[in-house]
Amino acid sequence: MCLLWACTRSFAHRHPKIFVGFLHPFAVILVLVITVYFVVLQMFYVVPKLFEMDTLVYKLFWLLAIFICYNIFGNMLACHLTDTSVPSLPLEKQSPEPGEGHLWDFCDICERKMPPRSWHCVLCNRCILKRDHHCIFTATCIGHNNQRYFFWFTFHMALGTGVALATHTLVVLQYCSYMNLFFLNFSNVKDLPNWLFLSLLVNIYALAAPGAALFVQFLALHINGTLHDLYSETYNLGIWRNFKMVVGEKGLWTFFSPTIKSPLPHDGTKWEAKDVGIGEC
Ligand SMILES: [Zn+2]
Ligand SMILES: [Zn+2]
């Protein structure tokens, strides 16, 4: 796995245009196909085995599916459209203020100074504010301005596949118990339809990917770090302030929609370090 990752990374660095041109459309289409697959499978095959289609619970499942899809696609699009590069800053913010020059690094590729915590991305070919990583599924870099959307994108992907796994499991238990969850008879597992068994396996894999991405996001968030400094507590301001640094002043309200306006505490050029002060790093 490490070898595959190293080879992919090496190829991306050597041939960034080919990598981006091939992998971005593939990854985006994969997300679209998987999401539609789960909605169709859940709403027309799995959930109807638990609740009749004319019941209130079944209709609530439809509402939940629409809400999760809206947030997956909405946050994915917002993530892609939100520019988090250094050139997106107002001109007067693209160079250090007097006395702060020593905090800015020089990018040899862009031949310009970049704020603390910024990194150059070879795939975007730009310096990215508080760069976390390059995401092929949103076809852009994740950084200071769009990490909120990436966080909720992975969260809703994990939520959707998590709910799907729960309903899948209930249907399997139903087969095992013939509707009696307290007296399971696993010898009946052999009666499981093949499609249900296969879709359950796909579901487990589909949950693992966004689940792992979300776990890493939580790891970074709890210390206000990024993938580049996942073990550094330099910028850790406490979990709630760290969270607002990513999602903005509206906090948990941003869970409901990517369209909720939630200004970030700052523009990504000055970083308050733990026990040191603003701008130090
Ligand atoms: Zn650069
Ligand atoms: Zn990038």
Side-chain angles (χ1 to χ4, degrees):
M1 199 68 188
C2 287
L3 183 66
L4 180 66
W5 171 249
C7 289
T8 307
R9 196 177 160 84
S10 167
F11 182 82
H13 278 255
R14 285 185 193 181
H15 309 285
K17 283 190 177 168
I18 299 174
F19 184 85
V20 162
F22 170 73
L23 213 57
H24 278 179
F26 175 78
V28 171
I29 289 169
L30 188 67
V31 172
L32 296 178
V33 169
I34 286 180
T35 307
V36 171
Y37 160 81
F38 269 102
V39 172
V40 171
L41 182 76
Q42 282 291 305
M43 297 316 301
F44 294 107
Y45 295 95
V46 178
V47 178
K49 288 194 175 299
L50 297 170
F51 307 102
E52 297 291 333
M53 284 188 171
D54 57 354
T55 60
L56 177 64
V57 181
Y58 179 79
K59 287 165 187 162
L60 287 177
F61 263 98
W62 259 119
L63 274 182
L64 181 64
I66 292 167
F67 172 73
I68 291 174
C69 284
Y70 162 71
N71 270 287
I72 289 174
F73 296 136
N75 281 295
M76 192 178 169
L77 186 64
C79 200
H80 178 73
L81 296 177
T82 304
D83 193 346
T84 188
S85 67
V86 175
S88 72
L89 289 165
L91 262 183
E92 67 275 12
K93 293 280 185 180
Q94 292 186 26
S95 48
E97 289 179 8
E100 291 184 356
H102 65 288
L103 298 171
W104 291 46
D105 286 322
F106 189 79
C107 174
D108 295 328
I109 302 165
C110 301
E111 296 185 330
R112 64 179 303 154
K113 281 206 154 193
M114 55 182 178
R117 309 191 78 187
S118 298
W119 293 76
H120 184 86
C121 174
V122 291
L123 300 179
C124 298
N125 198 27
R126 287 179 301 174
C127 293
I128 305 297
L129 292 165
K130 200 197 94 174
R131 182 170 184 266
D132 190 71
H133 69 287
H134 187 93
C135 172
I136 56 170
F137 298 103
T138 55
T140 190
C141 248
I142 307 304
H144 178 65
N145 292 332
N146 65 357
Q147 193 170 5
R148 157 195 169 177
Y149 305 116
F150 179 76
F151 176 80
W152 290 123
F153 166 64
T154 52
F155 187 94
H156 282 95
M157 287 281 281
L159 179 65
T161 47
V163 171
L165 188 61
T167 54
H168 257 121
T169 306
L170 281 176
V171 171
V172 170
L173 288 175
Q174 200 175 59
Y175 268 91
C176 294
S177 63
Y178 290 120
M179 299 300 290
N180 187 343
L181 294 178
F182 297 103
F183 298 100
L184 299 180
N185 179 2
F186 286 98
S187 63
N188 295 328
V189 168
K190 65 181 185 306
D191 297 328
L192 275 183
N194 286 340
W195 70 264
L196 187 59
F197 183 69
L198 280 174
S199 64
L200 184 63
L201 283 181
V202 171
N203 198 159
I204 291 168
Y205 280 109
L207 173 60
L214 187 62
F215 178 70
V216 174
Q217 284 294 302
F218 272 121
L219 279 183
L221 199 142
H222 100 278
I223 55 164
N224 196 11
T226 65
L227 283 186
H228 292 284
D229 53 4
L230 205 50
Y231 303 103
S232 164
E233 297 227 9
T234 306
Y235 302 100
N236 188 1
L237 304 174
I239 186 70
W240 186 236
R241 283 187 69 191
N242 294 347
F243 184 62
K244 287 204 163 183
M245 202 68 81
V246 170
V247 302
E249 66 179 30
K250 287 289 166 60
L252 285 170
W253 287 106
T254 52
F255 162 81
F256 292 101
S257 170
T259 59
I260 291 173
K261 294 264 182 289
S262 183
L264 294 169
H266 60 78
D267 59 15
T269 58
K270 294 184 180 186
W271 290 94
E272 184 180 345
K274 185 183 180 184
D275 303 329
V276 180
I278 292 177
E280 300 292 327
C281 56

